[in-house]
């Protein structure tokens, strides 16, 4: 299995620009999670989907952040407009549907907003 | 509100010795616990888990112990190897909930 795939691996953009991060979960996994890792806050959950439906987006920091999952094999996390404080590593993870299953993480996207 | 705490940011251990990583939690509704390992520039990888109906789970060199009354779990790595040098995250979940709460991580360095 290819594992969770994220693109791009690195993104450098200027403040005010739109940023789109992409994720392909493991085939057969029904839950998908977006995390952000920073030095200050550690690993924090932004949003998670179950069967392509957003279940909990309470971790999304502001309206500038949005996430979609149009089908079972693809999700995006968009930041518009981006700000320097959005600089972080963004991880996507997937797991079997519901319950307490281990989550499998992608390699992450390192975002730098200048 | 940090519900999962790893109070030791770093740990140095000699190769061949035991590494003990600790984790405390505050939410009594947590009933599933996991440990993840993370190398630089990679995503966290699942290591071992334990449900609240058990107090010990073992997988090769890795053993997780759970003390529900103390709201404490630990990860033992025996014997420690240089490849174990990584950041280890403790995570907890309410089973029916699915979300994981992560601790801040412990950087382990295994020296020859």
């Amino acid at each position: 299995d290819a594992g969770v795939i994220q693109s791009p691996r690195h993104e450098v953009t200027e403040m005010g620009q739109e940023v789109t991060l992409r994720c392909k979960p493991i085939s057969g996994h029904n839950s998908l999670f977006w995390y952000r890792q920073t030095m200050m806050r550690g690993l924090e959950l932004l949003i998670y989907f179950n069967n392509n439906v957003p279940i909990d987006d309470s971790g999304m920091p502001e309206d500038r952040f949005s996430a979609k999952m149009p089908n079972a094999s693809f999700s995006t996390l968009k930041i518009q407009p981006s700000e320097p404080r959005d600089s972080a590593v963004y991880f996507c993870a997937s797991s079997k549907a519901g319950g307490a299953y281990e989550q499998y993480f992608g390699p992450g996207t390192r975002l730098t907003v200048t | 509100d940090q519900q999962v705490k790893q109070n030791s940011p770093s740990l140095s251990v000699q190769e061949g010795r035991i590494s003990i990583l600790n984790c405390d939690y505050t939410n009594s509704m947590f009933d599933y616990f996991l440990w993840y390992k993370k190398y630089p520039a990679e995503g966290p990888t699942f290591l071992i888990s334990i449900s609240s109906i058990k107090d010990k789970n073992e997988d090769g060199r890795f053993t997780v112990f759970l003390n529900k009354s103390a709201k404490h779990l630990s990860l033992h790595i025996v014997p420690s190897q240089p490849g174990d040098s990584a950041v280890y995250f403790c995570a907890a979940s309410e089973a029916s909930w699915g979300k994981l709460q992560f601790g801040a991580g412990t950087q382990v360095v295994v020296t020859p």
Side-chain angles (χ1 to χ4, degrees), chain B residues 18-83:
Chain B
I18 183 172
S19 295
I20 299 177
L21 292 81
N22 294 302
C23 178
D24 297 293
Y25 60 96
T26 56
N27 186 348
S28 58
M29 298 300 291
F30 286 148
D31 52 11
Y32 192 67
F33 305 88
L34 308 90
W35 285 93
Y36 281 81
K37 179 169 72 173
K38 186 184 182 303
Y39 293 118
E42 295 183 11
T45 56
F46 170 73
L47 196 56
I48 191 169
S49 63
I50 188 167
S51 75
S52 58
I53 62 173
K54 294 185 174 182
D55 54 19
K56 176 182 173 182
N57 189 27
E58 193 171 352
D59 184 1
R61 297 186 295 115
F62 303 91
T63 303
V64 57
F65 295 92
L66 175 62
N67 182 335
K68 290 186 289 294
S69 60
K71 294 191 179 68
H72 176 84
L73 65 156
S74 62
L75 175 69
H76 293 208
I77 307 173
V78 182
S80 299
Q81 299 175 352

Side-chain angles (χ1 to χ4, degrees), chain A residues 67-86:
Chain A
K68 292 182 180 180
M69 192 164 185
N71 57 62
S73 59
F74 184 65
S75 177
T76 60
L77 177 68
K78 186 177 294 186
I79 308 172
Q80 165 63 20
S82 58
E83 296 183 4
R85 60 194 168 117
D86 301 331

